[in-house]
Amino acid sequence: MANLRTAYPRVRMGLTLCTILSVSVAWPLPAQDAITSSHYVRTGDGTRLAVDVHLPADRSPDQRHPALLEITRYWRSAVNPATGQVARALNRLDRFLLENDYAVIKVDVRGSGASFGTRPVEYGPQEVRDGYDVVEWVVSQAWSSGAVGAYGTSYTGTTAELLAGVKHPALRAVIPGWSDFDIYVSPVRPYGMLASSFISEWSRFVGWLDDNNTAALGASVSPVDEDTDGVLLAAALAEHAANPDVFRGVLDAEFRDDVIAGGFTYDSSTSMHWKEAIEASAVPMLVFASWLDAGTADGALLRFQHYSNPQKLVILASNHGGGFHASPFTVGSAPKPPTPSVRQQFEMRVAFLDHYLKGEDTGVEDWPAIRYFNMGSESLEQTDTWPPRGTVRYNLYLHDNGALRSTPPTASSGADEYTIDYTVSTGTRNRWMTQMGNPVLNMHDRGAMDDKMLVYDTPPMEQDLQIVGTPVVSLHVDSDHGDGALLVYLEDVDENGVSRYLTEGGLRVIHRRVSGNPHFDQTAPHHSFAAGDAAPMVPGEVAEITFQLWPTSVVILRGHRLRLAIAGADADTFDRIPATGTPTISVHRTATHASHLDLPVVPRNPGGSSR
């Protein structure tokens, strides 16, 4: 991190890890261990994209290399404005790839960095189609073996997946890491609510990048080699001035079918928009995600279940990018190394790429389809199917006195009243703000927040309860306001009463209508978030509100309790809903209004692990 501070001294450290270099453990260092050149590549419509080519320093003159593209929103490389020294954006992963005889290609997407053009929306269709022209240029180079892959984390993880949608025959494999599968539900408007803390910060930062704001960044984007006098860079930056303000666009686009900018809706920027083309490419994928990073694990599992591409998944309990562990059973207020380690994550990537781009037998075909971290046991597990074999659904019902039991309620009346407390928070190092590169911290003791929420506990477990998959909650609620939010947290409570955050879910109540997913069949309840489906609550009228929590894998150990905590706000993450007024809700728990939690449970084998 010290090197990041040196390269970008005016940028807050929370911004840098994922957003400048889009790799969790990333330091912008000079490329002295690579042969580096930069170029303009013209797309089909004549737009010039800035491209850096890094070749292994010890290559022989006639050696040909498979090429790995990282297509970025965050500058392919930068210059120290005080010294003029170029700091190529090579990080530890890039260097590891170079050491394994790959060419590393960094591309400024259209309308960013030193590339020309404008960008009406993130991941726009033209931005994706530009990838075909870049691949075409790469395979025409004398150093190219003709095999191409793509990789990345966060934005660049998403562009790696979307590159498959252009169906270039040279593309052999992609590695989407912690990517945006559906930007409406993660990370922009989770639950139909605006994640303003994250998106406002991200928007401000990419605005600085688009403006080449050296005062804010302490750095300047690198011109390409041919632009010796900076004239071309100045012309490119002038075109970026037409880029819309990201935060303003999503603030005004409240519903999923609203236009963000330039005629584009949220669906224009999703993987599902390219699903048919991605599947037609048949490009294999190695996907990294985390149970505790926004909705990245949910997107990875939806892709695995509904896309026909060959896929291997690695789901960690980590921050965004996999640089830090995040399981609240071992992580408190200070970060710890992840499992698998960063080095092991690098080695997985190279083994996968060597198989598909070099034709080597690295054992990839024998890998399990999914490797995932199980919290509580703090172990790595594996499965070839999702849900894992043997999964059953197990209901826990809300009862009086804050009880959560396996038997349905039989009473004809009964409800718990709760006035929304707008000071409830998951803090500033949660699953949403890790999208800015922060570690996930302070999820290990939720007692102070539990006191502000409506909570329901099981009795102490008589045997281990293994949860693997996507929990669903159905709450029968009435409210004295037409709008509001329901946020639900799943927690582990140990023998000492310490509660640990496991996962969460939520819904802005006007979006409670359940509808089919237009892109594929899914078992979890789906909400369209469309303007036409929104409906206010009717005061005094009980409504069933059903929604999924983010998937997880955790064992609730014998003697521990499972807690369901209900709130109506996350003060450090989401905008207040409603903007004025304080709703009081009643959560019903009767025979006819049986509020309950639906858990995916897998039997544990005698050794203690799930399979």
Side-chain angles (χ1 to χ4, degrees), residues 208-538:
W208 291 343
L209 293 174
D210 291 350
D211 296 340
N212 197 29
N213 189 331
T214 59
L217 296 166
S220 176
V221 64
S222 296
V224 300
D225 291 345
E226 68 189 76
D227 186 17
T228 56
D229 56 7
V231 171
L232 294 175
L233 176 59
L237 293 171
E239 294 191 3
H240 301 174
N243 292 350
D245 181 279
V246 174
F247 182 65
R248 174 52 56 186
V250 299
L251 182 64
D252 293 341
E254 180 179 2
F255 299 100
R256 187 185 188 100
D257 48 352
D258 285 344
V259 172
I260 303 172
F264 295 102
T265 66
Y266 291 97
D267 280 353
S268 306
S269 300
T270 66
S271 171
M272 288 92 74
H273 182 81
W274 296 90
K275 179 178 182 292
E276 183 177 344
I278 290 171
E279 288 192 281
S281 76
V283 169
M285 299 182 180
L286 172 61
V287 179
F288 288 86
S290 169
W291 301 127
L292 293 158
D293 171 29
T296 61
D298 188 63
L301 291 169
L302 286 172
R303 187 191 299 108
F304 178 81
Q305 291 177 294
H306 300 291
Y307 286 39
S308 59
N309 302 68
Q311 296 178 62
K312 303 293 185 183
L313 271 61
V314 182
I315 306 178
L316 295 79
S318 75
N319 73 316
H320 186 61
F324 301 106
H325 197 45
S327 169
F329 292 91
T330 53
V331 175
S333 57
K336 293 186 177 181
T339 302
S341 70
V342 171
R343 174 78 182 197
Q344 289 169 330
Q345 294 173 48
F346 289 0
E347 290 170 346
M348 289 180 197
R349 290 175 172 94
V350 168
F352 184 81
L353 294 166
D354 283 353
H355 179 70
Y356 287 107
L357 273 70
K358 296 180 181 178
E360 297 178 4
D361 182 5
T362 58
V364 167
E365 304 218 355
D366 296 326
W367 288 1
I370 304 176
R371 282 174 276 193
Y372 61 96
F373 191 89
N374 188 51
M375 296 183 290
S377 67
E378 303 300 282
S379 58
L380 277 173
E381 307 294 342
Q382 62 186 50
T383 179
D384 286 320
T385 64
W386 196 266
R389 291 182 182 86
T391 300
V392 296
R393 304 299 300 195
Y394 177 59
N395 285 343
L396 291 169
Y397 295 87
L398 279 58
H399 283 265
D400 58 355
N401 299 315
L404 195 59
R405 301 175 186 160
S406 58
T407 55
T410 57
S412 59
S413 64
D416 295 309
E417 190 174 278
Y418 174 66
T419 299
I420 303 302
D421 186 331
Y422 284 99
T423 67
V424 171
S425 173
T426 54
T428 59
R429 292 293 181 265
N430 60 18
R431 71 186 307 127
W432 303 108
M433 288 310 293
T434 191
Q435 293 265 312
M436 298 305 297
N438 301 307
V440 177
L441 300 173
N442 303 316
M443 298 290 130
H444 62 299
D445 187 352
R446 294 285 294 159
M449 288 300 141
D450 289 342
D451 291 342
K452 299 181 178 185
M453 296 188 280
L454 186 61
V455 300
Y456 299 86
D457 287 1
T458 66
M461 294 292 163
E462 296 180 0
Q463 60 184 16
D464 294 352
L465 179 70
Q466 179 64 61
I467 302 168
V468 186
T470 303
V472 173
V473 67
S474 292
L475 300 177
H476 294 257
V477 176
D478 70 73
S479 174
D480 59 4
H481 279 61
D483 201 358
L486 283 177
L487 292 166
V488 168
Y489 302 97
L490 203 61
E491 299 174 354
D492 172 277
V493 184
D494 69 15
E495 300 94 335
N496 299 315
V498 176
S499 59
R500 293 174 173 85
Y501 171 104
L502 302 176
T503 189
E504 69 176 62
L507 193 68
R508 184 179 176 185
V509 296
I510 64 171
H511 294 300
R512 65 191 178 276
R513 180 175 182 269
V514 176
S515 60
N517 188 322
H519 301 287
F520 40 70
D521 295 331
Q522 67 176 64
T523 54
H526 176 264
H527 303 274
S528 73
F529 300 105
D533 286 338
M537 297 279 285
V538 178

